[in-house]
Amino acid sequence: MDRLRDKVVIVTGAGSGIGRAAAELMGREGAGVLVADHDADAARAVAGGIGDGGGRAVPYTVDVTDEESVAAMVETAVGEYGRLDALCNHVGGTDPRKDLDLLRLDMAEFDRAVDLNVRSTLAGTRHALPHLIRAGGGSIVNTASVAGLLGDSLQISYGAVKAAVISVTRYVAVQYGPRGVRCNAVAPGAVMTPALRDNLPPEVIERLEGHNALPYLGTPQDIGNVMLFLASDESRYLTGQVIVVDGGMTCRSPAAADRGGPPSPAG
Ligand SMILES: NC(=O)c1ccc[n+]([C@@H]2O[C@H](COP(=O)([O-])OP(=O)(O)OC[C@H]3O[C@@H](n4cnc5c(N)ncnc54)[C@H](O)[C@@H]3O)[C@@H](O)[C@H]2O)c1
């Protein structure tokens, strides 16, 4: 229960889904958590839950597309807890109704996606770095996606901005590794969050599951556990990496037979 003892972390997008799971897991492991989200009620509820469980958490209302708001978020964490050890730049995504193939792409949605996914990550990292360095180094955990590693028939903006998040991760790792700061990304595959469940019909969810090597979809906790590991000193020799957490979706050859279990032993 002490994997993040004495550490202070900020998780953006912590009001729901994966970010919520990460914040709760980190709170349970002893961190002081700034639960940062656009949705003030959600942030309050998650922070309250962590507190009820005996952890330390403070809610914070942030808009990660507004650099002043991001700067104030970092200062609040340091003001509350006196230091900063990890920042999870988790907010991201695009609107699937506007993020289509290139010829049908809404360019305003592309610009919004850059702000929400990439600029937010740069801004959070810039404001956190001096505090992380002061604390003797620390960990930045960015949320990418397998979409940033592959091509797809839709959501070209999403793929492009998540690829940019991966690139930023490597540059920050190289530029600030000498000061003791680590920077890694998680690249989730399909994860059963409220957003996924509410936006996709059951047959599409079933199809997504069918692409995995494992016979199930991930939960927010599956990704949150990897974020916890990356925030902790257990990953102290790990930087500039993209950890793919996708149930084996991207390891499968397209030529692999449909899942049906391993062949029976001969005889
Ligand atoms: N769910 C998946 O299958 C999946 C897969 C790959 C990557 N991801 C990535 O995970 C991240 C979030 O996904 P999730 O499933 O946890 O989503 P979610 O919709 O459950 O939660 C997102 C949270 O971010 C908050 N938010 C939205 N805009 C904000 C803003 N401008 N400032 C501050 N907070 C804001 C929302 O209020 C919400 O609480 C994204 O970066 C997404 O691309 C998700």
Side-chain angles (χ1 to χ4, degrees):
M1 304 295 273
D2 279 337
R3 293 166 68 192
L4 291 181
R5 189 173 158 180
D6 299 332
K7 294 208 186 290
V8 174
V9 305
I10 299 172
V11 182
T12 71
S16 171
I18 298 168
R20 173 184 177 164
E24 289 173 348
L25 288 163
M26 291 179 194
R28 210 173 298 157
E29 292 296 339
V33 186
L34 195 82
V35 177
D37 203 285
H38 210 191
D39 181 336
D41 291 341
R44 238 189 328 267
V46 173
I50 294 172
D52 291 346
R56 298 177 293 147
V58 173
Y60 191 78
T61 310
V62 68
D63 176 1
V64 298
T65 63
D66 171 357
E67 188 164 353
E68 270 181 35
S69 176
V70 170
M73 169 186 79
V74 171
E75 293 313 317
T76 300
V78 175
E80 285 284 340
Y81 295 113
R83 57 184 288 138
L84 181 65
D85 301 282
L87 166 68
C88 300
N89 290 307
H90 177 66
V91 172
T94 60
D95 181 344
R97 289 161 304 181
K98 297 180 179 168
D99 184 11
L100 304 168
D101 61 271
L102 180 55
L103 289 178
R104 294 185 299 149
L105 172 66
D106 177 341
M107 289 300 275
E109 175 59 13
F110 176 76
D111 292 340
R112 195 188 75 88
V114 171
D115 281 353
L116 189 69
N117 292 264
V118 190
R119 203 171 197 288
S120 65
T121 299
L122 291 175
T125 304
R126 264 157 70 94
H127 289 282
L129 274 168
H131 297 290
L132 297 177
I133 292 167
R134 201 167 305 132
S139 177
I140 308 270
V141 182
N142 295 328
T143 299
S145 164
V146 292
L149 300 166
L150 302 169
D152 206 334
S153 47
L154 296 171
Q155 291 198 270
I156 188 168
S157 297
Y158 189 60
V161 295
K162 290 304 190 182
V165 167
I166 290 170
S167 181
V168 165
T169 299
R170 294 182 177 132
Y171 273 79
V172 170
V174 170
Q175 292 177 356
Y176 297 96
R179 313 289 295 274
V181 177
R182 300 184 297 107
C183 185
N184 294 287
V186 284
V191 179
M192 275 307 258
T193 56
L196 193 86
R197 210 175 25 240
D198 297 346
N199 290 326
L200 295 181
E203 62 273 17
V204 175
I205 293 178
E206 202 176 310
R207 187 143 39 85
L208 282 174
E209 187 192 297
H211 290 305
N212 284 355
L214 293 169
Y216 47 83
L217 287 180
T219 65
Q221 288 73 20
D222 290 326
I223 312 301
N225 273 319
V226 178
M227 293 168 70
L228 162 64
F229 167 68
L230 290 174
S232 80
D233 291 339
E234 293 162 19
S235 57
R236 66 181 286 275
Y237 199 43
L238 214 158
T239 196
Q241 301 306 308
V242 183
I243 314 291
V244 175
V245 192
D246 69 347
M249 185 177 82
T250 54
C251 79
R252 282 185 94 223
S253 161
D258 285 346
R259 201 175 50 230
S264 336

